[in-house]
Amino acid sequence: MASSRRRSRPTSTGARGPLALPRRARPEPLTTPRLPLDRRSLESADFAIVDSLDPVVKAQQCFDDLLIPADHPGRLPSDTYYISRPGGKEESSAADTLLRTHTSAHQSTLMREGKEAFLCTGDVYRRDEIDASHFPVFHQMEGVKLFDPAVVGGAMTREEWLASEGCQLIAADLKKTLEGMCDELFGPVEKRWIDEYFPFTEPSFELEIFYNGDWMEVLGCGVIHSGVLENAGLQERHGWAFGLGLERLAMVLFAIPDIRLFWTDDKRFTKQFTAGQYDTFKPYSKYPPCKKDIAFWIPDGFEPNDFYELGRGVAGELVETVALIDEFTNPKKGKTSHCYRVTYRSMDRSLTDEEINALQNELRSKTESELGVELR
Ligand code: DAH
């Protein structure tokens, strides 16, 4: 499983058409601009750095090991790129193969291997909407730290654990560590903790910081759920975990306005950043957008994510946003119509009318033939 760097990107999800990823599946979003997150802030404990695990995992690792139930919406093929059963609408099973949707997919394996503390970074894949902050592949960093049972306690029931001092000690250490990391990244910022729910941590939190005049979510975290540790054969152990999205953080830190920029080869972008340095992005030029609407009657079971995926497949990085701008139901016909506004714009050049019309026509015909919609 622990392959070296992935050589080629997965090119197809099968029946649903090509996975609309850019040419390079492992570009430099982690090095251009290089996030100063990686080692420094967490170096105090001996965190193993794990950053070359294969993104192709079993649903067992990505979901079941983490107590994510079979009917969880995140497991649907409209959200997750399955490799073993492309396009299926049924529930996923533990044996399915897929592109990891989060780096938490490696938590259990790494703990089982005996790692006590680690930072696991990698590309993660999600079918999602299309706008300036969403891209079907992005990067996350997962942090895990296990504690000495002599200090926090060993095997006990879940209720005993949650009421114990050990659990509080771990939650306090987690908060202190992550607040320190935020200070290092953003300077001494105002922070707040929000109670959250994740199936794999208990209790669970989200950390927000007040930055550029707004509260911003930075990461999710918590005390590792006893059930996750039991599944990993570590019923005697306890610890904390966190997960954070790297592009989103980098976009804020470096004032990068569009997530597609991480994938550009344009020197005007790549030259602006130096490893280990906080540079603010200076926009070099903005090319004109071109907006095209498409309206259709949707069939039963229509998933907007399928339409977005089709848009990615047709226009790749040239599609900037796809927004549902109108939706209504005709009571007589019993049919619902969706109208989407597709904004085309390149980060690096002007697009011609011809090229955009060709893309829009292809999108129209594929939407009809592949999604079974009735164009209006
Ligand atoms: N895996 C979560 C996500 O992708 C993030 C996360 C939350 C990771 C809590 C964790 C955690 O390790 O404890 O949204």
Side-chain angles (χ1 to χ4, degrees), residues 68-184:
I68 298 171
D71 61 355
H72 190 281
R75 292 180 75 143
L76 287 172
S78 55
D79 287 46
T80 294
Y81 291 105
Y82 281 92
I83 290 173
S84 54
R85 293 180 306 110
K89 287 277 177 195
E90 328 81 66
E91 282 183 9
S92 70
S93 88
D96 278 321
T97 311
L98 49 85
L99 287 170
R100 63 187 169 209
T101 58
H102 55 178
T103 43
S104 308
H106 300 294
Q107 256 190 37
S108 299
T109 316
L110 292 170
M111 290 194 298
R112 234 181 247 125
E113 283 173 8
K115 292 214 167 39
E116 297 275 319
F118 55 85
L119 296 173
C120 174
T121 308
D123 36 350
V124 301
Y125 299 78
R126 291 186 197 173
R127 294 163 61 109
D128 218 325
E129 50 203 274
I130 300 183
D131 62 29
S133 62
H134 287 91
F135 205 67
V137 49
F138 58 102
H139 292 77
Q140 283 190 335
M141 178 191 273
E142 191 80 8
V144 166
K145 180 179 168 190
L146 297 180
F147 286 68
D148 183 351
V151 177
V152 296
M156 54 185 107
T157 66
R158 172 174 157 248
E159 291 73 22
E160 281 168 345
W161 167 247
L162 291 173
S164 73
E165 267 179 36
C167 183
Q168 282 182 31
L169 188 146
I170 289 181
D173 184 87
L174 169 67
K175 289 183 173 180
K176 201 182 91 202
T177 306
L178 295 176
E179 286 177 8
M181 181 179 78
C182 274
D183 286 343
E184 181 154 337

Side-chain angles (χ1 to χ4, degrees), residues 245-274:
L246 298 179
E247 278 84 350
R248 224 173 55 88
L249 218 52
M251 285 173 79
V252 185
L253 272 173
F254 306 114
I256 294 170
D258 192 301
I259 194 166
R260 292 175 294 163
L261 282 164
F262 289 101
W263 300 85
T264 185
D265 288 323
D266 197 311
K267 294 270 183 300
R268 289 172 295 177
F269 179 80
T270 52
K271 279 218 164 126
Q272 291 196 29
F273 301 98
T274 315

